[in-house]
PDB file of all heavy atoms in Angstrom:
ATOM      1  N   GLU A  21      52.472-107.156 -19.487  1.00  0.00           N
ATOM      2  CA  GLU A  21      51.700-108.272 -18.985  1.00  0.00           C
ATOM      3  C   GLU A  21      50.214-108.032 -19.057  1.00  0.00           C
ATOM      4  O   GLU A  21      49.423-108.755 -18.500  1.00  0.00           O
ATOM      5  CB  GLU A  21      52.100-108.611 -17.571  1.00  0.00           C
ATOM      6  CG  GLU A  21      53.409-109.379 -17.483  1.00  0.00           C
ATOM      7  CD  GLU A  21      53.502-110.221 -16.254  1.00  0.00           C
ATOM      8  OE1 GLU A  21      52.476-110.367 -15.532  1.00  0.00           O
ATOM      9  OE2 GLU A  21      54.571-110.744 -15.977  1.00  0.00           O
ATOM     10  N   ASP A  44      50.773-134.263 -27.764  1.00  0.00           N
ATOM     11  CA  ASP A  44      51.999-134.688 -28.421  1.00  0.00           C
ATOM     12  C   ASP A  44      53.102-134.647 -27.362  1.00  0.00           C
ATOM     13  O   ASP A  44      53.147-133.730 -26.555  1.00  0.00           O
ATOM     14  CB  ASP A  44      52.336-133.746 -29.579  1.00  0.00           C
ATOM     15  CG  ASP A  44      53.554-134.217 -30.377  1.00  0.00           C
ATOM     16  OD1 ASP A  44      54.667-134.029 -29.865  1.00  0.00           O
ATOM     17  OD2 ASP A  44      53.355-134.717 -31.484  1.00  0.00           O
ATOM     18  N   GLN A  46      55.983-133.703 -27.451  1.00  0.00           N
ATOM     19  CA  GLN A  46      56.831-132.482 -27.500  1.00  0.00           C
ATOM     20  C   GLN A  46      56.111-131.291 -26.889  1.00  0.00           C
ATOM     21  O   GLN A  46      56.774-130.274 -26.617  1.00  0.00           O
ATOM     22  CB  GLN A  46      57.176-132.170 -28.948  1.00  0.00           C
ATOM     23  CG  GLN A  46      58.016-133.234 -29.641  1.00  0.00           C
ATOM     24  CD  GLN A  46      58.318-132.852 -31.056  1.00  0.00           C
ATOM     25  OE1 GLN A  46      59.390-132.265 -31.329  1.00  0.00           O
ATOM     26  NE2 GLN A  46      57.418-133.120 -31.957  1.00  0.00           N
ATOM     27  N   VAL A 104      35.793-124.987 -27.365  1.00  0.00           N
ATOM     28  CA  VAL A 104      35.220-124.585 -26.097  1.00  0.00           C
ATOM     29  C   VAL A 104      33.929-125.384 -25.922  1.00  0.00           C
ATOM     30  O   VAL A 104      33.025-125.312 -26.736  1.00  0.00           O
ATOM     31  CB  VAL A 104      34.940-123.098 -26.082  1.00  0.00           C
ATOM     32  CG1 VAL A 104      34.305-122.682 -24.716  1.00  0.00           C
ATOM     33  CG2 VAL A 104      36.228-122.320 -26.293  1.00  0.00           C
ATOM     34  N   PRO A 131      29.409-122.988 -26.839  1.00  0.00           N
ATOM     35  CA  PRO A 131      30.241-124.054 -27.359  1.00  0.00           C
ATOM     36  C   PRO A 131      30.666-123.739 -28.798  1.00  0.00           C
ATOM     37  O   PRO A 131      29.841-123.308 -29.597  1.00  0.00           O
ATOM     38  CB  PRO A 131      29.329-125.285 -27.303  1.00  0.00           C
ATOM     39  CG  PRO A 131      27.943-124.703 -27.400  1.00  0.00           C
ATOM     40  CD  PRO A 131      28.000-123.387 -26.733  1.00  0.00           C
ATOM     41  N   GLY A 165      49.890-124.396 -33.600  1.00  0.00           N
ATOM     42  CA  GLY A 165      50.483-124.017 -34.879  1.00  0.00           C
ATOM     43  C   GLY A 165      51.720-123.187 -34.731  1.00  0.00           C
ATOM     44  O   GLY A 165      51.736-122.215 -33.951  1.00  0.00           O
ATOM     45  N   ALA A 224      33.050-125.106  -3.505  1.00  0.00           N
ATOM     46  CA  ALA A 224      33.068-126.498  -3.088  1.00  0.00           C
ATOM     47  C   ALA A 224      34.390-126.893  -2.401  1.00  0.00           C
ATOM     48  O   ALA A 224      34.711-128.075  -2.250  1.00  0.00           O
ATOM     49  CB  ALA A 224      32.808-127.419  -4.282  1.00  0.00           C
ATOM     50  N   ARG A 304      43.279-119.983  11.326  1.00  0.00           N
ATOM     51  CA  ARG A 304      44.507-119.543  12.048  1.00  0.00           C
ATOM     52  C   ARG A 304      44.818-120.446  13.248  1.00  0.00           C
ATOM     53  O   ARG A 304      45.962-120.910  13.377  1.00  0.00           O
ATOM     54  CB  ARG A 304      44.334-118.078  12.520  1.00  0.00           C
ATOM     55  CG  ARG A 304      45.572-117.522  13.232  1.00  0.00           C
ATOM     56  CD  ARG A 304      45.254-116.173  13.865  1.00  0.00           C
ATOM     57  NE  ARG A 304      44.735-115.218  12.922  1.00  0.00           N
ATOM     58  CZ  ARG A 304      43.522-114.659  13.031  1.00  0.00           C
ATOM     59  NH1 ARG A 304      42.709-115.005  14.023  1.00  0.00           N
ATOM     60  NH2 ARG A 304      43.127-113.791  12.150  1.00  0.00           N
ATOM     61  N   GLY A 328      43.002-106.694   1.462  1.00  0.00           N
ATOM     62  CA  GLY A 328      42.182-106.103   2.508  1.00  0.00           C
ATOM     63  C   GLY A 328      41.332-104.925   2.041  1.00  0.00           C
ATOM     64  O   GLY A 328      41.202-104.679   0.829  1.00  0.00           O
ATOM     65  N   LEU A 362      62.136-121.858  -1.781  1.00  0.00           N
ATOM     66  CA  LEU A 362      63.395-121.714  -2.559  1.00  0.00           C
ATOM     67  C   LEU A 362      64.470-121.018  -1.707  1.00  0.00           C
ATOM     68  O   LEU A 362      64.958-119.950  -2.061  1.00  0.00           O
ATOM     69  CB  LEU A 362      63.122-120.891  -3.821  1.00  0.00           C
ATOM     70  CG  LEU A 362      62.110-121.442  -4.808  1.00  0.00           C
ATOM     71  CD1 LEU A 362      61.855-120.463  -5.926  1.00  0.00           C
ATOM     72  CD2 LEU A 362      62.566-122.801  -5.374  1.00  0.00           C
TER      73      LEU A 362
END
Side-chain angles (χ1 to χ4, degrees):
E21 283 206 9
D44 185 284
Q46 297 180 95
V104 179
R304 181 189 305 119
L362 300 174

